[in-house]
Amino acid sequence: MKTRDLTQGSVKKNLLYMSLPTMAGFFAQTLYDVVDMMWIGRLSVEALAGVTIFATIFWLVEVLNEIIGSSSISLISQSYGEGDKEKTGRIIEQTITFKALVAVLAGIILMIIIKPLALFFDSNPRVVQSVMSYGYIRIFFIPIMFSSYTVNTALRCIGDSKKPFYLMLISSVLNIVLDPIFIFDTLPIKFGVIDFTIKGFGLGVFGAALATVISITIAFVIGFYYLVSGKSYIKISIKGLFKLDKHIDYKLMTIGLPNGAEALNRNLSNFVVMKFIGHYGSVAIAAAGIGMRFMGILFMPLIGLMMGGGAIVGQNLGVNQVERAKETAKSAAQLGFVVISFVSVVTFIFGEEIMRMFTNVEEVIVIGEPMLKVFVIGMFLLAILFGYSTVFSGSGYNFPFLVSSVAGRWLAAIPFAFVMIFLLDMNIIWLWISYIVGDIVELVVIMYYYIRGDWQTKKVV
């Protein structure tokens, strides 16, 4: 099967070709997280808070996935750009193997820390029970989740952006269909004059988690078969998954270390911020959970541009076409800014309606509506940041991610929030504003490293 050569032709067309399916796929994937929150919001505020807390805890071990995943982007795209199909296949095999191994480690860590951390954020027994009910089955299926990321990344890095979209779409549709069936005892169905009720499983928050893992597993099996069967341009073998390559494995574990450190830093800062949010009670945690899931949808175009652009940058650096890599970064930033301009208008006009899609609890809505407006302002800064960051993910020069994250979170956002909340006793809106303060500092650091240009000579294969 022929895939797109990203070292030739129009940069903008290549960027759209790679990014639009990726955007759509990640949008679909994030949509089922949003649907989860919409249905869970119909259970209780405590259920919303519990799922939000689990998400915060889960992202702590996502660091392990981040290290290998970010390494694999530059390794796969650069080796493919050089035309070495055999090496590309070996890298994909090793990435799948290592992702599975670290996922087991991540699961063990989570099993140990989940309850103590749940109590750290909120001592409400109903909230803690929601964390445990939702979390245990998600933890058990982490190896499948990590491996599904690898399949999508591998296809994207060899220029096939459509298959990951289809896989994520399949997963999303399944989850949306299964969610209410597993969560509720009964479901009223209305189609015009047709009105009837079907029986559900009534599993509550556990049912939401079960629907998610089933959907992810089915999509992974399909994508894995696609790679193993030879229906993609790069074919992997089952045997190759059990044969270690020390040279590749070392690069997988080391190239992404700055990204892993950045992810750890980001997630630890999220822990602190979540504790700050907990200062305002369970309703604030519930509102934050809704905001984070909704903003996750808005992040998808930016992530799509960054991942699609990263693959383009990697292939072009593989053949020493630096100017095309620069043009890719600039175009990604411009497109991201345009997308955020549109969604910001929608958010400012329909902020209250968006919150009511998730909950009817007025206290949550009052906190959440201004939160959405503040968050979307920060998205303009992130559009530029994500666009120019494509040069770092594509080149494998990931150190700027770590520096920008440390500076933005620990030197700007968290000190600002601490002063506003605990010293000046200000309204929670100032906690949301602290995100913008951090985004400004992160953008400044990223642009400094982009202009400095060390990424231009970085090769990882």
Side-chain angles (χ1 to χ4, degrees):
M1 177 175 290
K2 185 178 181 181
T3 55
R4 195 177 186 94
D5 184 353
L6 303 176
T7 65
Q8 300 178 14
S10 167
V11 167
K12 284 187 171 61
K13 287 183 179 179
N14 283 342
L15 184 60
L16 290 173
Y17 175 85
M18 291 299 297
S19 299
L20 288 176
T22 304
M23 290 180 196
F26 274 102
F27 174 81
Q29 192 172 46
T30 303
L31 183 61
Y32 69 61
D33 284 334
V34 172
V35 171
D36 269 351
M37 293 299 279
M38 291 174 64
W39 290 122
I40 291 168
R42 298 294 181 254
L43 294 173
S44 66
V45 169
E46 290 82 6
L48 273 174
V51 173
T52 301
I53 289 172
F54 172 76
T56 304
I57 297 172
F58 174 80
W59 283 107
L60 181 64
V61 299
E62 176 68 13
V63 171
L64 299 173
N65 175 67
E66 186 76 21
I67 293 173
I68 298 176
S70 58
S71 299
S72 69
I73 291 174
S74 51
L75 285 169
I76 296 170
S77 61
Q78 289 187 30
S79 62
Y80 185 79
E82 291 180 344
D84 194 335
K85 294 191 293 182
E86 182 180 351
K87 180 188 287 188
T88 303
R90 289 202 307 273
I91 293 170
I92 294 172
E93 292 165 356
Q94 294 300 301
T95 305
I96 292 175
T97 298
F98 263 77
K99 282 282 191 77
L101 290 174
V102 300
V104 173
L105 176 62
I108 294 172
I109 293 172
L110 273 181
M111 285 290 187
I112 296 171
I113 67 175
I114 184 171
K115 188 170 184 178
L117 287 180
L119 289 167
F120 170 76
F121 289 120
D122 195 325
S123 59
N124 185 328
R126 294 182 62 187
V127 173
V128 174
Q129 182 57 45
S130 293
V131 175
M132 309 303 284
S133 297
Y134 187 84
Y136 276 140
I137 189 170
R138 291 294 302 266
I139 292 172
F140 185 79
F141 278 84
I142 288 177
I144 296 295
M145 184 176 184
F146 280 15
S147 297
S148 69
Y149 292 159
T150 301
V151 170
N152 291 337
T153 297
L155 292 169
R156 196 175 295 112
C157 286
I158 64 174
D160 186 351
S161 59
K162 293 182 179 179
K163 291 298 186 301
F165 162 67
Y166 294 139
L167 293 174
M168 288 187 282
L169 182 62
I170 289 170
S171 180
S172 298
V173 171
L174 281 173
N175 192 79
I176 291 170
V177 171
L178 294 177
D179 246 345
I181 297 174
F182 287 163
I183 293 174
F184 301 108
D185 292 310
T186 58
L187 293 91
I189 306 295
K190 292 184 178 181
F191 292 105
V193 296
I194 302 176
D195 188 352
F196 63 96
T197 299
I198 63 174
K199 184 174 177 57
F201 292 98
L203 299 176
V205 291
F206 174 80
L210 181 61
T212 298
V213 299
I214 290 175
S215 304
I216 291 174
T217 301
I218 291 174
F220 165 70
V221 171
I222 296 172
F224 184 73
Y225 169 77
Y226 184 75
L227 286 173
V228 172
S229 66
K231 293 183 178 181
S232 65
Y233 186 60
I234 299 297
K235 182 180 179 180
I236 66 172
S237 68
I238 299 294
K239 183 179 179 181
L241 299 175
F242 298 94
K243 186 177 181 180
L244 297 180
D245 185 318
K246 293 182 180 179
H247 179 68
I248 294 175
D249 297 341
Y250 176 78
K251 290 187 175 183
L252 284 172
M253 294 299 294
T254 56
I255 293 171
L257 279 177
N259 272 54
E262 186 276 328
L264 178 61
N265 168 75
R266 181 175 66 245
N267 295 332
L268 288 175
S269 68
N270 287 340
F271 264 55
V272 175
V273 172
M274 185 58 67
K275 187 63 177 178
F276 287 179
I277 295 172
H279 176 73
Y280 296 94
S282 297
V283 291
I285 295 177
I290 293 171
M292 291 172 186
R293 293 296 175 96
F294 176 72
M295 297 312 293
I297 291 181
L298 306 189
F299 267 108
M300 290 309 103
L302 305 185
I303 293 176
L305 286 166
M306 184 176 175
M307 297 189 72
I312 296 171
V313 168
Q315 287 196 22
N316 280 282
L317 291 181
V319 291
N320 299 313
Q321 295 186 154
V322 175
E323 291 304 315
R324 284 179 62 86
K326 289 182 178 180
E327 188 179 348
T328 299
K330 181 179 179 180
S331 298
Q334 291 172 342
L335 288 171
F337 200 88
V338 170
V339 171
I340 296 305
S341 297
F342 171 74
V343 299
S344 66
V345 173
V346 174
T347 304
F348 268 83
I349 295 175
F350 300 106
E352 180 178 346
E353 288 77 7
I354 291 170
M355 289 299 300
R356 290 192 182 280
M357 290 170 58
F358 295 90
T359 181
N360 292 320
V361 179
E362 291 299 325
E363 295 93 329
V364 178
I365 295 170
V366 169
I367 293 175
E369 183 184 0
M371 171 193 66
L372 294 182
K373 294 177 180 178
V374 172
F375 281 0
V376 82
I377 292 173
M379 295 294 290
F380 285 99
L381 301 171
L382 294 176
I384 302 172
L385 187 153
F386 275 53
Y388 282 95
S389 293
T390 58
V391 301
F392 306 125
S393 59
S395 66
Y397 180 51
N398 295 312
F399 182 68
F401 291 124
L402 174 60
V403 178
S404 67
S405 179
V406 171
R409 300 302 180 96
W410 296 103
L411 301 182
I414 289 178
F416 180 88
F418 180 82
V419 170
M420 291 297 172
I421 296 169
F422 296 104
L423 298 185
L424 301 180
D425 195 27
M426 302 292 282
N427 186 277
I428 194 173
I429 189 69
W430 290 96
L431 177 57
W432 312 137
I433 292 174
S434 72
Y435 282 88
I436 296 180
V437 174
D439 293 340
I440 292 172
V441 173
E442 287 195 46
L443 177 58
V444 170
V445 173
I446 286 295
M447 292 308 299
Y448 165 77
Y449 277 103
Y450 173 81
I451 295 170
R452 181 172 164 175
D454 293 350
W455 59 270
Q456 297 178 28
T457 56
K458 183 74 174 180
K459 295 292 289 292
V460 296
V461 294

